[in-house]
Amino acid sequence: MDILVINAGSSSLKFQLINMENEEVLAKGICERIGSDGSIFTFKSHTGFQIKDKPFPMNNHTDAFNCVVKAMLDPENGVIKNISDIAAVGHRVVQGGSLYRESVLIDDDVIKGIESLIPLAPLHNKAHVEGIVACRNVFGKDLPEVAVFDTAFHSTMPPKAYMYPVPYEYYEKYGIRRYGFHGTSHRYVSGKCAELLGKDIKDTKIISCHLGNGSSITAIDGGKVVDTSMGLTPLDGFMMGTRTGTLDPSVVTFIAEKEGLTPSEMSDLLNKKSGMLGVSGISSDDRDICAAAAKGDPRAILTHQMLEYEIAKFIGSYMVVLGGCEAIIFTAGIGENQASHRTGVCKYFEYMGVKIDEKINNETIKGKGGLISTPDSTIKVFVIPTNEELLIARDTRDLISK
Ligand code: ADP
């Protein structure tokens, strides 16, 4: 059974075709700059065949899907013989709001539901609906489609964790609350962590750190999220590539008034010009900041100090929330690759007996996972490469098999 996993953005379409018999990725790639001049198509098959930067005219998501199908069916270098080899499509959907607590088979009502949540995630959910509709245009209505929500895993949070202390009417009127994101990643790595611990997930207390361009930390008790750092939007939490994370709200009103910025200009500043980019003045990419820090750049060094400190503060607070934890996970671009930050964060917990094996830590990069703490460490620390696409494909298979 082959399942196509789709992550539709406003001008992009990421895809992976996964063979569910052995969970092998048969093909993956991305359509970029959909709707503008010079669309770019990248395709890589399991046989090593690649298409890169070959411009196809892609005016909309339907064109992009047609392009993906054409490449997958290519008689010489394709990965499937017939379009009917694809058993179902799983779509990543960022915002499921309070409507969707788990993955669902998509029907007309679900499309309307995802549309109704557009005010909470204007760019993402609008693009997801476009992706779902385009998928139907190309594959027909009979091919099952499944929606897997970034927020769903966090739907077990109690009200004391998800409510914001603003007048209650805004929760009732607009659904202003913490939703959390990266749920599919946190669910995947925490499941894997339970396997590595050799325990039923119900008997685990785990803190999962997804550190990428966007970052979030989640406290997971018995497989259920009890708190997470991202909030109403992915801006909440701690410093990210270009996002601030949590701030004194007065910083927002102060800068807006002084600089004469509109709400949307302010949102741009907080989401796209702040975080590691804003503090370092160098880049949002941690590799560039590392290079500058190695040369002694004081702002690059400060950025790293702030990042590790903020991550440690979240982990520390979640230890209290969980009443102790047995495992900390690092995942995503920074979590999987930047061994020095893992060391820097874990140093804050040295007093309670957390110890990192530096040799193993330095070797656990570039897709390699495993335990990086010493055998006598009081808390196990793991690097677990995330795989959101695989979880989307598994959910899709499970729902269509029911
Ligand atoms: P996204 O949130 O866009 O999926 P990623 O999970 O790819 O982002 O994380 C991007 C971050 O991870 C960047 O700051 C980058 O510096 C870092 N990163 C990614 N790959 C590596 C690597 N091989 N070595 C060091 N850092 C990396």
Side-chain angles (χ1 to χ4, degrees):
M1 179 195 285
D2 297 342
I3 288 183
L4 182 63
V5 176
I6 294 294
N7 181 358
S10 51
S11 66
S12 70
L13 188 97
K14 281 195 203 145
F15 61 92
Q16 271 196 19
L17 184 70
I18 303 179
N19 171 353
M20 295 312 289
E21 267 77 58
N22 56 8
E23 298 192 333
E24 185 189 9
V25 177
L26 299 174
K28 63 177 179 180
I30 180 167
C31 306
E32 292 170 278
R33 302 176 62 166
I34 298 169
S36 53
D37 286 345
S39 307
I40 302 167
F41 179 57
T42 312
F43 178 92
K44 199 172 168 187
S45 84
H46 64 132
T47 58
F49 173 72
Q50 289 194 38
I51 301 173
K52 214 172 177 192
D53 290 358
K54 191 169 171 185
F56 285 81
M58 287 188 255
N59 292 318
N60 49 46
H61 287 77
T62 302
D63 287 352
F65 267 106
N66 277 321
C67 187
V68 174
V69 169
K70 195 170 162 220
M72 289 192 304
L73 280 172
D74 185 85
E76 229 176 288
N77 295 302
V79 288
I80 49 172
K81 296 232 159 19
N82 297 298
I83 199 158
S84 59
D85 290 351
I86 299 173
V89 180
H91 293 268
R92 175 199 180 207
V93 178
V94 163
Q95 181 54 276
S98 302
L99 282 180
Y100 301 105
R101 300 171 71 90
E102 54 192 22
S103 304
V104 287
L105 265 173
I106 297 174
D107 58 17
D108 291 343
D109 283 344
V110 171
I111 296 181
K112 280 190 204 131
I114 298 170
E115 255 168 351
S116 75
L117 296 166
I118 288 177
L120 289 176
L123 295 178
H124 285 109
N125 272 36
K126 188 168 175 287
H128 300 322
V129 171
E130 279 167 15
I132 292 165
V133 171
C135 185
R136 285 183 164 197
N137 290 343
V138 173
F139 292 98
K141 238 184 153 175
D142 290 338
L143 185 73
E145 290 182 88
V146 166
V148 179
F149 301 91
D150 273 25
T151 48
F153 188 48
H154 302 300
S155 67
T156 49
M157 273 188 289
K160 68 179 177 187
Y162 70 66
M163 289 301 292
Y164 287 120
V166 292
Y168 198 81
E169 66 191 89
Y170 298 116
Y171 167 63
E172 295 175 310
K173 261 208 292 203
Y174 307 123
I176 301 292
R177 50 159 283 186
R178 178 184 307 284
Y179 291 101
F181 298 90
H182 292 143
T184 313
S185 173
H186 290 295
R187 178 156 63 102
Y188 177 81
V189 296
S190 57
K192 198 93 193 155
C193 182
E195 274 174 36
L196 293 168
L197 290 167
K199 281 184 151 185
D200 189 320
I201 189 133
K202 290 199 179 80
D203 304 320
T204 59
K205 287 178 186 285
I206 296 169
I207 297 173
S208 159
C209 308
H210 177 113
L211 312 176
N213 260 324
S215 301
S216 64
I217 301 182
T218 297
I220 307 159
D221 194 351
K224 293 200 176 354
V225 172
V226 290
D227 207 345
T228 190
S229 62
M230 281 181 167
L232 173 73
T233 70
L235 185 55
D236 202 356
F238 52 97
M239 181 163 76
M240 309 177 211
T242 58
R243 297 185 194 127
T244 55
T246 307
L247 287 176
D248 175 351
S250 305
V251 173
V252 181
T253 45
F254 192 100
I255 295 177
E257 276 172 21
K258 287 279 177 206
E259 299 281 319
L261 301 178
T262 63
S264 106
E265 286 166 340
M266 199 58 217
S267 168
D268 217 47
L269 185 141
L270 300 171
N271 275 289
K272 298 186 184 154
K273 297 177 188 157
S274 301
M276 294 161 72
L277 170 68
V279 176
S280 72
I282 295 164
S283 165
S284 64
D285 192 304
D286 195 42
R287 285 166 285 202
D288 301 332
I289 302 171
C290 284
K295 288 187 195 148
D297 184 288
R299 273 168 59 187
I301 293 168
L302 171 66
T303 305
H304 283 165
Q305 286 170 344
M306 288 168 67
L307 180 71
E308 290 166 10
Y309 178 65
E310 291 197 331
I311 294 170
K313 282 207 293 186
F314 262 103
I315 294 176
S317 69
Y318 285 172
M319 283 175 175
V320 176
V321 163
L322 289 170
C325 95
E326 62 203 298
I328 297 169
I329 307 168
F330 288 99
T331 192
I334 293 175
E336 291 170 30
N337 292 295
Q338 301 289 27
S340 64
H341 294 330
R342 300 189 298 235
T343 303
V345 168
C346 290
K347 270 216 169 342
Y348 284 97
F349 302 98
E350 223 168 43
Y351 84 97
M352 50 192 285
V354 176
K355 281 189 219 158
I356 297 297
D357 182 319
E358 279 314 324
K359 184 170 180 293
I360 296 177
N361 183 31
N362 288 325
E363 288 166 2
T364 310
I365 51 169
K366 298 198 166 119
K368 202 174 154 211
L371 186 71
I372 57 166
S373 51
T374 59
D376 62 339
S377 175
T378 47
I379 295 172
K380 290 190 162 65
V381 183
F382 292 99
V383 174
I384 302 180
T386 195
N387 196 340
E388 290 156 280
E389 292 80 9
L390 181 58
L391 206 54
I392 293 172
R394 285 183 186 162
D395 276 13
T396 304
R397 174 202 55 201
D398 293 348
L399 274 170
I400 64 164
S401 308
K402 265 186 191 165

